[in-house]
């Protein structure tokens, strides 16, 4: 089953607790949490304390995406805060293999994220160690952007690599995913779909989630 992961970056932070409860009631699979430092990407968001607070009010797994410089300094903070999935960017991680091992040794899912211009082959020597890969289908930093069409080919290339090696690594696609293109993204090889504004701007999270389940059958 394709996993649906609303990105809380697009939620109403004045009502964040209510938003999380409403999305949980709609039957989503994960909460995607973008962590930005204002250096690796041109935006700043939240830190471990907010992740910890979210973890206290939901049983839905937390998918934490570190868009930060020097992620090695902070992975344990987010593990301790309650992350169930944790991804760092290959472009920001000097010792990606070691970082992935630290995450896996904590008992949670370890992932690597790739920016739109970073080729799938950059994972050639670490793919077998990953539980999931985050493919950015927009340039990271801000929500509400349009899906980059070339991302479809990249999803297909990565899926082929995973299948050829007999791996169970999941592909998460993050950026510009909405009901209109969800089926196409899934058909290309995605296992996890991150939705920000397309989810939280809808008037009825339950109806939207039901529609997505039908589209993704």
């Amino acid at each position: 089953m394709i996993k649906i992961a609303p990105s809380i970056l697009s939620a109403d932070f004045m009502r964040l607790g209510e938003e999380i409860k409403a999305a949980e009631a709609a039957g989503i699979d994960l909460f995607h949490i973008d962590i930005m430092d204002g250096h690796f990407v041109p935006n700043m968001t939240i830190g471990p304390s907010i992740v910890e607070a979210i973890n206290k009010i939901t049983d839905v797994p937390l998918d934490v995406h570190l868009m930060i410089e020097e992620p090695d300094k902070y992975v344990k903070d987010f593990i301790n805060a309650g992350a169930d999935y944790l991804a760092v960017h290959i472009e920001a991680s000097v010792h990606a293999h070691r970082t992935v091992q630290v995450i896996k040794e904590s008992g949670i899912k370890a992932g690597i994220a790739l920016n739109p211009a970073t080729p799938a082959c950059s994972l050639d020597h670490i793919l077998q160690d990953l539980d999931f890969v985050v493919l950015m289908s927009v340039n990271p930093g801000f929500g509400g952007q349009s899906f980059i069409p070339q991302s479809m080919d990249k999803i297909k290339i990565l899926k082929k690599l995973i299948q050829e090696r007999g791996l169970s690594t999941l592909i998460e696609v993050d950026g510009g995913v909405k009901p209109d293109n969800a089926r196409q993204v899934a058909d290309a090889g995605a296992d996890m779909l991150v939705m920000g504004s397309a989810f939280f701007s809808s008037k009825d999270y339950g109806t939207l989630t039901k529609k997505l389940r039908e589209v993704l059958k």
Side-chain angles (χ1 to χ4, degrees), residues 58-204:
T58 182
D59 293 325
V60 174
L62 305 184
D63 170 30
V64 178
H65 176 190
L66 300 186
M67 291 186 250
I68 63 176
E69 293 181 352
E70 300 184 283
D72 288 357
K73 291 183 177 180
Y74 304 100
V75 291
K76 289 187 178 179
D77 292 332
F78 287 98
I79 291 168
N80 293 335
D84 298 285
Y85 293 69
L86 185 60
V88 301
H89 270 263
I90 194 72
E91 303 88 355
S93 186
V94 178
H95 303 290
H97 183 271
R98 182 169 65 195
T99 305
V100 166
Q101 296 309 312
V102 168
I103 297 170
K104 290 176 75 74
E105 286 167 5
S106 73
I108 69 173
K109 304 293 186 183
I112 289 288
L114 302 183
N115 283 334
T118 304
C121 64
S122 64
L123 300 176
D124 194 42
H125 298 293
I126 197 171
L127 188 58
Q128 69 277 2
D129 297 307
L130 303 178
D131 295 299
F132 69 111
V133 176
V134 182
L135 292 185
M136 294 301 301
S137 43
V138 298
N139 287 297
F142 298 94
Q145 300 182 65
S146 297
F147 186 91
I148 297 174
Q150 299 93 318
S151 302
M152 288 295 186
D153 288 336
K154 190 172 176 182
I155 298 167
K156 293 174 184 177
I157 289 168
L158 180 58
K159 192 69 171 184
K160 184 178 179 181
L161 287 173
I162 290 169
Q163 291 175 336
E164 287 177 346
R165 299 185 185 190
L167 303 175
S168 57
T169 310
L170 301 177
I171 298 175
E172 179 175 80
V173 178
D174 182 2
V177 179
K178 51 190 178 181
D180 292 347
N181 64 7
R183 179 71 264 174
Q184 188 180 2
V185 175
D187 286 344
D191 305 289
M192 304 157 71
L193 302 180
V194 176
M195 289 191 185
S197 56
F199 186 91
F200 283 107
S201 65
S202 66
K203 295 180 180 179
D204 187 327

Side-chain angles (χ1 to χ4, degrees), residues 6-73:
S7 172
I8 68 161
L9 181 63
S10 296
D12 181 352
F13 270 66
M14 291 292 289
R15 303 172 45 252
L16 186 56
E18 296 173 41
E19 293 273 65
I20 287 169
K21 287 300 184 182
E24 182 176 10
I28 55 92
D29 301 296
L30 304 165
F31 280 113
H32 185 81
I33 306 176
D34 290 311
I35 309 299
M36 307 181 193
D37 63 358
H39 297 284
F40 182 68
V41 291
N43 196 6
M44 295 179 68
T45 54
I46 61 177
S49 61
I50 301 299
V51 175
E52 185 175 6
I54 294 171
N55 188 48
K56 289 179 179 178
I57 63 170
T58 182
D59 293 325
V60 174
L62 305 184
D63 170 30
V64 178
H65 176 190
L66 300 186
M67 291 186 250
I68 63 176
E69 293 181 352
E70 300 184 283
D72 288 357
K73 291 183 177 180

